[in-house]
Amino acid sequence: MANVQKRPNGKWRARYRDLDGKEHARHFERKLDAQRWLDEVTASMVTGQYVDPRAGRVTFEKYAEKWEGSLIASEAGERITDNALRLHLVPALGARSMAAIRRNDIQVLFKHLSDQLGPGSVRNVYDVLVRVMTAAVDDKVIASSPCRRITLPSMPDEEVTPPTVEQVEAMARVMPPYIRAAIVTLAGSGLRIGELLGLKVSDVDFKAGTIRVERQRLQSGKIGPPKTAKSRRTVPVGEVVTDALLAHLAARPSKEWLFTMEEGEPLNYRRWKTEWNGARKALQAAENGAAEREGRKAVGRKAVELPHMVTHDLRHFYASALIVGGASVKQVQLVLGHASAVITLRIYAHLWPGEEDRTRAVMDAVLGGLRTGCGQVGGMTRETAGQNA
């Protein structure tokens, strides 16, 4: 029910009841303005676009907390969402009412975050905010999302640079003996670190030379399914890997998990990261020590800062070795467990050899008649460039 009535003070009151039966009213100087507002509200209710003006008073923190509690996501997705809300969005927007947040507020926030975080991290935070605001629109808390035409930092188009054989070997040498075989396995199979930590002894077929990926260990320590459907796969491995694993099991027998900590528990992310960072520091310390000793001999060599290797670089090492060896895009995709060949090409296209030489050969064949002293430049030919090539 909606109506417009004149009040004793001369103003016009427009009233209506929303879909829940609650009454809303506004006062206007002119009857025309009151009727126009009432018509707009009625139209929004008929078209399903009506938003209760009081709904937008809820604070961002309260709504985001309720929204986050209703999510169904992977552990990695939950971690990204929680970090974005807890560390960035709630501190900046938490006390604001949802209806009061404007597009410029969002732009200012992400300009500030761009000075603190990398482009990828900024986009992760923005994606979470977009999802919160989209849910608020769907829940009729706000009429429209303020996340429109927001300028974000561009993602750097950096090419993958795989580590060298020497760098991989050096990393394996300084790793503690109980997980040294893990370096060899990662470099020789291209497994993700979560997939390696989720391996059981039964997943390795020593006779056939394969490793079956059926699960991954999450950062919480729990076991979950592989990253994607294509990540569930059988990876062929060479004797270097199987020999390293046999030696590993001979020194540390296990009936279930392939890699365990010194206490006997399954190797987890935290321990792996601690050991990896310790190994990197040991290599840098060795480099600094060598430079200092040579400096005393008047050689004058300065210490070199070693590349900041991360575990995922061993996966790049494996992929680059396959590509150099002549593997096709499809084969690299299958053994890496990429969801599609598009992902494989986006990451590793620059590593496939021969494209520049092929380009030169094709253009030399097409333009051969333009060589100095070879034929008349002005002469016409009926052959197309493709036919000539």
Side-chain angles (χ1 to χ4, degrees):
M1 179 179 178
N3 60 68
V4 176
Q5 292 181 335
K6 190 171 184 178
R7 303 291 291 161
N9 61 3
K11 292 188 176 182
W12 294 89
R13 181 175 66 182
R15 296 188 301 174
Y16 72 92
R17 291 188 180 275
D18 62 23
L19 300 175
D20 294 326
K22 297 178 182 179
E23 183 178 283
H24 302 266
R26 278 187 64 180
H27 294 79
F28 298 87
E29 295 292 340
R30 300 189 305 168
K31 182 179 180 180
L32 177 65
D33 296 332
Q35 189 62 54
R36 181 182 294 118
W37 175 77
L38 201 59
D39 291 343
E40 290 175 356
V41 171
T42 303
S44 67
M45 294 177 69
V46 171
T47 58
Q49 298 177 335
Y50 174 75
V51 175
D52 185 342
R54 291 176 292 192
R57 296 174 188 172
V58 65
T59 64
F60 178 87
E61 182 175 12
K62 289 292 185 183
Y63 182 80
E65 181 181 358
K66 181 180 178 181
W67 171 81
E68 185 179 11
S70 68
L71 290 181
I72 300 175
S74 65
E75 182 180 287
E78 290 178 351
R79 187 174 62 255
I80 291 173
T81 300
D82 180 69
N83 287 343
L85 289 172
R86 178 170 48 84
L87 300 178
H88 307 292
L89 297 177
V90 169
L93 304 172
R96 302 279 298 277
S97 66
M98 292 292 289
I101 299 174
R102 300 287 181 261
R103 190 206 71 84
N104 189 62
D105 299 329
I106 305 300
Q107 185 63 74
V108 170
L109 169 60
F110 282 92
K111 172 65 171 66
H112 176 67
L113 289 180
S114 299
D115 297 332
Q116 299 178 334
L117 306 174
S121 298
V122 170
R123 288 177 181 271
N124 283 341
V125 177
Y126 181 69
D127 288 343
V128 172
L129 180 60
V130 168
R131 289 160 58 204
V132 173
M133 292 303 183
T134 301
V137 173
D138 294 340
D139 290 340
K140 307 299 183 186
V141 173
I142 53 177
S144 62
S145 171
C147 297
R148 300 190 309 273
R149 298 184 297 279
I150 301 298
T151 303
L152 299 176
S154 58
M155 294 291 289
D157 189 16
E158 297 179 353
E159 294 183 342
V160 166
T161 303
T164 64
V165 175
E166 291 75 14
Q167 289 171 336
V168 175
E169 290 176 346
M171 202 68 180
R173 283 197 304 271
V174 296
M175 269 289 191
Y178 77 99
I179 52 173
R180 191 167 293 156
I183 297 291
V184 180
T185 304
L186 289 169
S189 67
L191 298 188
R192 301 176 177 93
I193 181 58
E195 295 170 344
L196 177 99
L197 299 179
L199 286 179
K200 294 183 177 181
V201 176
S202 58
D203 294 325
V204 184
D205 188 331
F206 291 96
K207 186 175 181 180
T210 61
I211 293 177
R212 179 65 187 172
V213 178
E214 290 285 355
R215 69 199 74 79
Q216 65 170 326
R217 189 173 298 280
L218 305 174
Q219 291 198 21
S220 64
K222 298 178 181 178
I223 291 295
K227 183 177 181 180
T228 67
K230 293 291 182 67
S231 297
R232 199 181 300 271
R233 64 199 187 278
T234 300
V235 181
V237 294
E239 291 183 359
V240 173
V241 173
T242 55
D243 288 350
L245 290 177
L246 285 171
H248 167 73
L249 290 173
R252 301 180 62 81
S254 174
K255 293 182 179 179
E256 188 175 14
W257 301 108
L258 184 58
F259 290 100
T260 58
M261 295 186 286
E262 293 175 321
E263 301 83 2
E265 296 295 318
L267 183 62
N268 58 37
Y269 264 101
R270 180 173 295 182
R271 176 63 67 85
W272 172 264
K273 190 173 182 179
T274 299
E275 299 289 17
W276 177 274
N277 290 337
R280 282 200 307 106
K281 291 177 181 178
L283 286 176
Q284 186 64 61
E287 162 62 19
N288 295 343
E292 184 178 353
R293 288 191 297 273
E294 293 181 17
R296 293 171 184 168
K297 298 177 181 178
V299 177
R301 185 172 82 83
K302 294 183 179 180
V304 176
E305 185 175 350
L306 301 179
H308 185 86
M309 272 183 64
V310 297
T311 304
H312 206 72
D313 286 335
L314 297 179
R315 184 169 163 87
H316 297 325
F317 172 84
Y318 174 76
S320 66
L322 291 182
I323 293 169
V324 171
S328 66
V329 175
K330 190 63 179 178
Q331 177 63 14
V332 175
Q333 176 210 340
L334 291 175
V335 293
L336 290 180
H338 283 157
S340 72
V342 174
I343 298 174
T344 309
L345 281 172
R346 186 174 69 238
I347 301 173
Y348 301 114
H350 65 287
L351 296 179
W352 259 275
E355 295 305 318
E356 292 183 355
D357 291 339
R358 186 178 297 115
T359 299
R360 295 188 187 99
V362 168
M363 296 314 300
D364 278 348
V366 171
L367 303 176
L370 299 180
R371 292 179 183 273
T372 304
C374 297
Q376 297 180 359
V377 174
M380 299 295 290
T381 177
R382 295 180 181 178
E383 297 168 327
T384 67
Q387 291 171 335
N388 200 0

